[in-house]
Amino acid sequence: DVKVTQSSRYLVKRTGEKVFLECVQDMDHENMFWYRQDPGLGLRLIYFSYDVKMKEKGDIPEGYSVSREKKERFSLILESASTNQTSMYLCASSNGRRRTEAFFGQGTRLTVV
Amino acid sequence: GNSVTQMEGPVTLSEEAFLTINCTYTATGYPSLFWYVQYPGEGLQLLLKATKADDKGSNKGFEATYRKETTSFHLEKGSVQVSDSAVYFCALSEMNYGGATNKLIFGTGTLLAVQP
């Protein structure tokens, strides 16, 4: 069964902290994505990666960076967490060669205090 | 740019009622279309998909038909159950031919609440 695993379900961090959200997929997918989900705004794309060490900005990249050193792992980094980054973060992966669906992780609920 | 518009919720129905959640899209080319469902406290799961015009996706009693002439992909179910209560997202797959990425563009989601 396909699987996308996010390292934490819930996180509480302090303002100014550096925060790492980790995502691992076991499907050998080329594409990986980080989305942010907020009420009334749906899912907004933060960053995506279509290959190892390759990344592109999504719609709301400000305040975030990403790392993809291995094909199966895609990390989202909040360089200096702020309260407006309190949100649900969703990781996803998809096959890069076809217009197939994306598979999602369970999500990480991040609270910045 | 490409976009997805879906009806705002919440949608509240009684068990066994008929469900329609409207979704329209704006896209260049021929995107694939998807409906995802999110149950409370969980991530998104694919509910159904359609990859070309006039395709009908179906799963668990839900159906949606890819209508290119009206740029729509409305979700329907003939008889909803309490267990269908969730948030439903319409999405399109945007193909970047240069990079071969297939970004998903999502609507804002529609909360469905089914009462016994």
Side-chain angles (χ1 to χ4, degrees), chain A residues 1-109:
Chain A
D1 203 11
V2 297
K3 203 158 188 179
V4 179
T5 304
Q6 294 183 229
S7 52
S8 304
R9 291 293 302 271
Y10 301 95
L11 275 179
V12 179
K13 296 293 182 180
R14 296 193 179 277
T15 301
E17 274 194 79
K18 190 169 186 176
V19 180
F20 293 85
L21 303 183
E22 307 286 346
C23 176
V24 177
Q25 51 96 2
D26 65 359
M27 296 164 283
D28 200 36
H29 282 167
E30 290 79 10
N31 298 333
M32 295 188 76
F33 308 86
W34 276 105
Y35 287 90
R36 170 178 172 158
Q37 182 181 10
D38 299 289
L41 298 177
L43 276 73
R44 293 179 292 168
L45 183 63
I46 304 171
Y47 267 97
F48 65 99
S49 168
Y50 52 89
D51 201 352
V52 175
K53 297 188 185 294
M54 305 303 289
K55 61 184 179 184
E56 287 197 23
K57 294 179 180 180
D59 300 318
I60 51 165
E62 297 78 18
Y64 303 94
S65 62
V66 290
S67 172
R68 192 161 181 207
E69 296 297 319
K70 294 184 178 181
K71 190 175 186 179
E72 67 270 19
R73 186 180 297 271
F74 192 36
S75 303
L76 180 69
I77 304 156
L78 286 66
E79 297 290 344
S80 177
S82 63
T83 55
N84 63 14
Q85 293 178 309
T86 292
S87 186
M88 170 71 88
Y89 291 87
L90 294 167
C91 176
S93 72
S94 69
N95 186 311
R97 291 178 293 278
R98 297 178 291 132
R99 280 184 295 172
T100 60
E101 66 270 26
F103 296 86
F104 282 82
Q106 292 289 84
T108 297
R109 171 73 65 183

Side-chain angles (χ1 to χ4, degrees), chain B residues 10-99:
Chain B
V11 174
T12 304
L13 296 173
S14 298
E15 209 164 22
E16 299 184 3
F18 185 86
L19 168 71
T20 300
I21 300 178
N22 290 337
C23 172
T24 57
Y25 67 91
T26 301
T28 54
Y30 302 92
S32 293
L33 301 174
F34 307 89
W35 276 101
Y36 281 84
V37 59
Q38 184 179 36
Y39 299 103
E42 298 186 12
L44 273 68
Q45 303 173 27
L46 179 68
L47 181 60
L48 53 84
K49 68 178 180 180
T51 57
K52 60 183 187 297
D54 300 324
D55 267 3
K56 178 186 283 188
S58 61
N59 186 27
K60 300 181 181 179
F62 291 89
E63 292 183 341
T65 301
Y66 189 162
R67 302 282 189 202
K68 187 164 175 60
E69 64 276 13
T70 54
T71 61
S72 65
F73 193 54
H74 305 321
L75 182 69
E76 297 181 336
K77 187 175 185 182
S79 176
V80 294
Q81 305 301 312
V82 172
S83 57
D84 293 327
S85 298
V87 180
Y88 292 81
F89 291 91
C90 185
L92 67 82
S93 177
E94 180 183 79
M95 175 63 86
N96 177 333
Y97 292 100

